[in-house]
């Protein structure tokens, strides 16, 4: 499209947004209208400028729309206007939510997202939270098209980890790498986090990636390393018990689950698993009765899995 024609369209877009906000009396509709213009080409700076103009003309109204943002348009506006206001953490987290909802649009291609002002100020913790929001919606991120849209996120992760090496945040970012198919890069980021400081969560993420690849032995090894870093973590005993059960070693599953139950006797899932594995391992009627009593409170499909294990089906 010729440059002149594109500028004419953008100018018309801005004019229409202002008409919707003023004459139509709907700043929210105007913001959503500009969001659609951004979605058409997130790399184009013009709709963002129009969003700033709209806030300049109707500051209170736009602030009200952004403060209650729970749909794409207002969330996108919150992301960009937070950047303008210097709140880079909120900018990242809001764009993460937008990206997670529609990952097949290259939202992070926005000029501000690659700006040094953003990359030099956003915290690793906030960027990690943003990446968690990207996969909160259970969309399929393991496609070539989505990976291309997420490429700016991966570049931002690299830049921020160079500047703010937080091992917990790096481990959380590694989850995004796993779910979009970059398993080697996910392992590499976990290794990099370990060079800063070994923490339990890095091993948990590493275990999740091995599980994603179908390697139960490496998954268990990673969970055991996590347990050495956090010996009082009952959920790690549950993870290991489940893996032992999958391998048919119900005596080991019962031992591990019983240790976890001793650390957290009030967690229903932990109690149910411990009872199920002991019932299968020893034939204990008391444990089978306990499982029957607490099973209705255990979410599916885990409930049925435990019942099948306990009854040997």
């Amino acid at each position: 499209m010729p440059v002149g024609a594109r500028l004419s369209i953008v100018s018309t877009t801005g004019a229409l947004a202002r008409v919707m906000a003023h004459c139509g009396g709907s700043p929210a509709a105007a913001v959503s209208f500009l969001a659609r213009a951004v979605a058409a080409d997130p790399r184009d700076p013009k709709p963002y400028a129009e969003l700033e103009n709209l806030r300049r003309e109707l500051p209170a109204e736009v602030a009200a729309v952004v403060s209650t943002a729970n749909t794409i348009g207002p969330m996108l506006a919150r992301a960009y206007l937070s950047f303008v206001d210097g709140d880079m953490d909120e900018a990242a987290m809001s764009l993460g939510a937008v990206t997670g909802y529609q990952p097949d649009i290259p939202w992070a291609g926005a000029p501000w997202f690659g700006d040094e002002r953003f990359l030099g100020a956003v915290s690793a913790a906030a960027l990690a939270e943003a990446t968690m929001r990207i996969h909160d919606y259970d969309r399929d991120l393991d496609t070539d098209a989505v990976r291309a849209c997420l490429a700016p996120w991966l570049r931002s992760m690299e830049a921020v980890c160079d500047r703010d090496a937080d091992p917990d945040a790096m481990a959380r970012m590694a989850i995004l790498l796993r779910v979009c198919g970059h398993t080697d890069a996910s392992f590499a980021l976990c290794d990099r986090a370990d060079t800063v400081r070994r923490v339990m969560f890095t091993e948990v993420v590493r275990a999740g990636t091995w599980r994603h690849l179908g390697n139960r032995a490496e998954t268990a090894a990673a969970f055991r390393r996590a347990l050495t870093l956090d010996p009082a973590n009952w959920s790690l005993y549950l993870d290991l018990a489940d893996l032992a059960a999958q391998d048919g070693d119900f005596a080991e599953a019962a031992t591990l689950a019983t240790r976890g139950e001793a650390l957290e006797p009030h967690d229903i899932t932990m109690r149910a698993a411990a009872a199920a594995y002991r019932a299968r391992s020893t034939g204990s009627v008391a444990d089978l009765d306990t499982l029957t009593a607490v099973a209705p409170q255990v979410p599916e499909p885990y409930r049925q899995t435990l019942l099948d294990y306990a009854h040997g089906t």
Side-chain angles (χ1 to χ4, degrees):
M1 179 184 293
V3 173
R6 187 159 61 87
L7 289 175
S8 174
I9 289 173
V10 171
S11 177
T12 301
T13 298
L16 284 172
R18 286 191 291 275
V19 168
M20 295 172 83
H22 288 281
C23 302
S26 179
V31 167
S32 294
F33 183 74
L34 289 172
R36 288 195 292 275
V38 171
D41 183 4
R43 297 162 298 180
D44 187 350
K46 303 299 189 303
Y48 303 101
E50 292 295 346
L51 184 57
E52 278 193 82
N53 289 337
L54 186 63
R55 183 171 69 164
R56 223 172 274 120
E57 294 175 10
L58 297 168
E61 292 84 348
V62 171
V65 170
V66 169
S67 67
T68 58
N70 58 8
T71 56
I72 286 286
M75 286 296 292
L76 185 65
R78 176 187 287 176
Y80 176 64
L81 294 175
S82 294
F83 164 75
V84 172
D85 294 339
D87 188 349
M88 305 309 178
D89 286 1
E90 182 56 49
M93 292 186 290
S94 293
L95 194 68
V98 171
T99 302
Y101 189 73
Q102 287 188 305
D104 54 347
I105 293 177
W107 300 107
W112 67 265
F113 192 78
D115 192 296
E116 284 303 320
R117 289 172 294 173
F118 172 72
L119 295 177
V122 65
S123 69
L127 191 65
E129 173 60 26
T131 65
M132 299 292 281
R133 294 183 184 187
I134 291 174
H135 54 83
D136 264 355
Y137 296 89
D138 291 327
R139 304 285 198 260
D140 183 5
L141 305 183
D142 192 3
T143 70
D144 289 339
V146 171
R147 276 190 287 271
C149 291
L150 295 179
W153 283 98
L154 307 194
R155 290 193 293 270
S156 71
M157 287 160 50
E158 183 71 23
V160 173
C161 288
D162 282 344
R163 174 178 54 79
D164 183 11
D166 177 339
D168 277 301
M170 294 163 81
R172 293 171 80 194
M173 294 179 203
I175 299 173
L176 177 62
L177 292 169
R178 176 211 304 159
V179 298
C180 66
H182 295 299
T183 52
D184 287 345
S186 181
F187 283 132
L189 188 54
C190 286
D191 292 345
R192 188 174 168 188
D194 281 344
T195 66
V196 180
R197 187 177 72 258
R198 289 193 68 211
V199 296
M200 177 271 291
F201 189 61
T202 305
E203 291 293 358
V204 170
V205 172
R206 196 179 272 119
T209 304
W210 281 120
R211 178 153 49 195
H212 175 75
L213 294 172
N215 190 323
R216 285 209 296 268
E218 290 289 356
T219 302
F223 277 133
R224 288 190 181 279
R225 290 192 298 270
L227 198 54
T228 64
L229 293 167
D230 188 3
N233 192 310
W234 62 269
S235 66
L236 293 174
Y237 280 106
L238 179 57
D239 287 321
L240 286 165
D242 289 343
L243 286 169
Q246 289 169 30
D247 287 333
D249 190 345
F250 290 99
E252 177 68 2
T255 297
L256 290 163
T258 299
R259 290 177 185 170
E261 186 182 30
L263 291 168
E264 183 47 80
H266 303 297
D267 183 84
I268 291 297
T269 302
M270 185 73 258
R271 286 181 61 201
Y277 296 146
R278 286 195 297 266
R280 177 64 179 271
S281 177
T282 67
S284 167
V285 174
D287 281 314
L288 196 55
D289 288 343
T290 296
L291 175 62
T292 302
V294 301
Q297 301 174 66
V298 178
E300 291 286 12
Y302 192 55
R303 176 201 308 165
Q304 192 58 51
T305 298
L306 292 178
L307 290 169
D308 289 345
Y309 280 148
H311 292 284
T313 57

